[in-house]
Amino acid sequence: MSMAHSTADLKRLTRIGVQVVLLTAISPVFAQSPPLSPDRPWHSSDERQIITDGRRFQPPELRIESDKSYSLAELIDLAEAHNPETRVVWEGARAQAAALRIARSELFPTLAAVALAGVNRDEAGIGSRFYRQTLPFFQVSLDLNYTILDFGARRGRINAECARLLAANFGFNDVHRQLIYDVSQAYYRLLNAAGQEEAAGASLVNAQAVRQSAEERMRNGLATLPDVLEARSATAQAQYDLQAVLGAEQIARGDLATALGTSASTLIRVQPLSEVPMPESVSDTVEEAIRRALEQRPDLQARVAEIRLAQADRQMARAAFYPSLSVRGSPSVQSLYILQQTLPWGHSADLTGVVTLSLNWTVFDGGARRSRLAEAEATIRAAQARVGAARDRIQDQVWTAYSNLNTALRQREAATALLTAATQSYSAALESYNYGVRNLLDVTNAQKVLAQARSTDILARTQVLAALANLAFRTGDAIQLSAGRTHP
């Protein structure tokens, strides 16, 4: 009876074990299945694993000195060294360099070594009897393959990988160009926001001075309550404008930190706008700027590399019309033994092998080779057309950037004159109001004009710097100083 129970328990445990194994095997299948319904988010056990895996990939920490004011050049160096985008394209260029080395390896023979050892035992029939025989063996072989002639097929593949490597390197340079531009624009937006904060603070001080003057005059019976209320309203508006500018400055700081490749909450001190040199005019003509752009722009150079890639494809397509000749050699060292029933051991050792020449020539393929050649020719013409389109687009971009810079310089001069006039007008209006010659409405209007003039002056100054950075971005001048860098 106990044995029957033991057998039943054993069967039950076996079934449970099989069920556990099956559930373990099929659980990943169900975890990767689509959601059961569209009315709620989908979560699975694998999501937690993905979250855990994501925590392991932490970017390297960017050390920012809290007591240092960084210049634009220093910020650009930090961004080039720490922004992950440069690492991505750098590793892509290195991978493409490895692909080029793989293509070049086809110019050399391949050599493989094979060692075999084993024992065969069977029954050999002789007449009406079977005799057991044992055949131990050991063999070492070399397999040598080399393409002697292929009429440029390998060279075409090498040229194609060279063109891809050039395009990858130009793409690497273009990422640096874009990164320098992004950091520069974020930097100038931060300078503008900081300057606007300073201007808004000065406007608030002016509004408070007008309010205090109005309240003092009302206490002396020289002003009315509407005048005081108007002054208080102007002060509240100035306070509101200051808070809006403070928010814009925080956003600009986050944008700059993100461009550097660190957390948006990182506090970065930058040089004030007053310490940044301000250009007075454009140093060269638009024709010179366009010429430099056509020589330096890495995105245009990448387009030219595409022509080389298409030409390499054409070279491979032409090589397919001709035969290829290869040689193969397989020398082998064999050591063979034999033991047959009732007979002594036998042994043989020798150097064997084979050498073959292989000539492969496709005689007919239904026009596939001719079609591939026509495809390559069309690809070359398309790549040349893309280069022409890119040149036209670059010239237009440089022309626009050059015109914007000249416009920004002229606006800077006008903004300076406007600020000077608005400052004098406000001072005269406030002084006349204190003497009772002007009314409060004239003072508040002059104060608003001065506040707008301060804001316009800051914006005009940063627009000149931003336009200058945009011109350097469009011409490719921004990456010339760092063109020798070989790592991000």
Side-chain angles (χ1 to χ4, degrees):
M1 187 69 175
S2 60
M3 293 182 60
H5 282 295
S6 299
T7 303
D9 292 341
L10 181 60
K11 291 181 178 179
R12 185 167 58 254
L13 290 175
T14 302
R15 287 196 301 270
I16 294 175
V18 172
Q19 291 173 358
V20 171
V21 172
L22 289 176
L23 289 175
T24 304
I26 67 176
S27 60
V29 177
F30 287 105
Q32 297 298 329
S33 61
L36 297 178
S37 63
D39 58 344
R40 63 190 62 190
W42 175 72
H43 300 284
S44 68
S45 58
D46 288 342
E47 179 180 358
R48 292 188 295 271
Q49 183 62 42
I50 290 296
I51 294 174
T52 303
D53 294 342
R55 292 171 181 168
R56 299 174 185 171
F57 299 99
Q58 295 295 331
E61 182 180 0
L62 176 59
R63 298 179 60 87
I64 298 294
E65 300 180 22
S66 58
D67 58 343
K68 178 181 179 180
S69 295
Y70 287 88
S71 65
L72 177 59
E74 292 172 327
L75 293 174
I76 289 175
D77 286 340
L78 289 175
E80 289 184 302
H82 295 89
N83 192 291
E85 293 297 331
T86 60
R87 173 69 61 177
V88 171
V89 293
W90 186 54
E91 295 295 350
R94 296 180 65 186
Q96 189 56 53
L100 174 59
R101 291 193 293 270
I102 293 174
R104 285 176 174 169
S105 67
E106 296 186 37
L107 298 176
F108 302 92
T110 60
L111 181 64
V114 180
L116 299 175
V119 176
N120 292 332
R121 172 174 288 184
D122 59 3
E123 296 287 339
I126 301 177
S128 60
R129 299 186 60 183
F130 288 91
Y131 296 88
R132 179 186 302 166
Q133 63 179 9
T134 303
L135 301 173
F137 68 92
F138 178 76
Q139 177 179 338
V140 176
S141 301
L142 295 177
D143 189 5
L144 178 67
N145 286 282
Y146 181 59
T147 300
I148 300 175
L149 183 65
D150 60 2
F151 289 93
R154 290 173 296 176
R155 179 56 58 184
R157 287 190 288 271
I158 293 173
N159 291 340
E161 296 302 334
C162 284
R164 290 190 179 96
L165 178 58
L166 280 174
N169 290 337
F170 292 140
F172 173 72
N173 292 342
D174 200 45
V175 167
H176 277 272
R177 182 178 71 99
Q178 184 66 52
L179 181 61
I180 292 172
Y181 175 74
D182 293 342
V183 173
S184 301
Q185 295 301 311
Y187 174 74
Y188 292 137
R189 285 196 300 270
L190 178 56
L191 290 186
N192 178 64
Q196 296 294 344
E197 177 188 353
E198 182 179 353
S203 299
L204 177 59
V205 171
N206 291 341
Q208 291 172 343
V210 174
R211 185 198 64 190
Q212 292 173 359
S213 178
E215 291 174 349
E216 180 67 23
R217 287 177 62 81
M218 189 180 72
R219 283 193 295 268
N220 295 329
L222 300 176
T224 61
L225 180 60
D227 290 340
V228 175
L229 295 177
E230 177 68 23
R232 291 175 179 175
S233 176
T235 303
Q237 181 64 45
Q239 182 67 39
Y240 175 84
D241 294 339
L242 177 60
Q243 296 304 317
V245 169
L246 289 174
E249 182 184 4
Q250 293 298 319
I251 295 175
R253 290 189 181 277
D255 292 342
L256 179 59
T258 302
L260 296 184
T262 186
S263 171
S265 60
T266 304
L267 180 61
I268 303 175
R269 293 167 56 90
V270 299
Q271 287 182 333
L273 182 59
S274 58
E275 297 180 6
V276 178
M278 189 70 56
E280 299 295 334
S281 61
V282 185
S283 59
D284 54 5
T285 64
V286 65
E287 290 79 10
E288 293 174 344
I290 291 176
R291 177 187 56 80
R292 290 201 313 274
L294 296 179
E295 293 176 355
Q296 299 175 165
R297 284 279 292 265
D299 52 342
L300 178 60
Q301 294 168 342
R303 291 295 187 185
V304 177
E306 291 179 359
I307 298 179
R308 288 194 177 185
L309 176 59
Q311 291 172 341
D313 291 338
R314 180 179 62 184
Q315 184 178 4
M316 289 186 287
R318 286 176 174 174
F321 285 92
Y322 302 97
S324 63
L325 179 63
S326 60
V327 61
R328 179 176 182 178
S330 300
S332 299
V333 176
Q334 294 181 340
S335 180
L336 306 177
Y337 296 85
I338 184 171
L339 176 61
Q340 293 180 325
Q341 190 173 347
T342 72
L343 295 177
W345 279 97
H347 174 257
S348 176
D350 198 0
L351 175 64
T352 62
V354 61
V355 176
T356 60
L357 287 174
S358 177
L359 179 66
N360 296 319
W361 194 357
T362 301
V363 179
F364 179 74
D365 60 1
R369 290 172 296 177
R370 190 172 302 279
S371 297
R372 280 192 288 269
L373 180 59
E375 179 186 16
E377 295 284 359
T379 303
I380 292 175
R381 293 190 294 270
Q384 293 171 344
R386 282 193 292 268
V387 170
R391 289 175 61 91
D392 293 341
R393 184 173 61 254
I394 288 173
Q395 293 182 56
D396 180 67
Q397 291 173 352
V398 174
W399 174 267
T400 302
Y402 190 89
S403 300
N404 287 338
L405 178 57
N406 282 322
T407 301
L409 289 171
R410 293 191 297 267
Q411 288 178 330
R412 170 75 181 100
E413 296 177 357
T416 301
L418 174 62
L419 179 60
T420 301
T423 302
Q424 296 173 350
S425 175
Y426 169 76
S427 299
L430 181 60
E431 182 179 5
S432 299
Y433 174 73
N434 290 330
Y435 284 114
V437 179
R438 304 281 294 272
N439 57 39
L440 184 64
L441 185 59
D442 295 334
V443 179
T444 55
N445 287 336
Q447 186 268 328
K448 292 177 182 179
V449 172
L450 177 58
Q452 183 62 37
R454 285 197 183 103
S455 176
T456 302
D457 180 69
I458 296 297
L459 180 60
R461 293 164 65 186
T462 54
Q463 279 182 336
V464 169
L465 298 174
L468 185 62
N470 184 49
L471 181 60
F473 170 69
R474 300 302 180 184
T475 58
D477 291 338
I479 60 173
Q480 297 310 306
L481 295 179
S482 58
R485 294 176 66 101
T486 59
H487 56 83

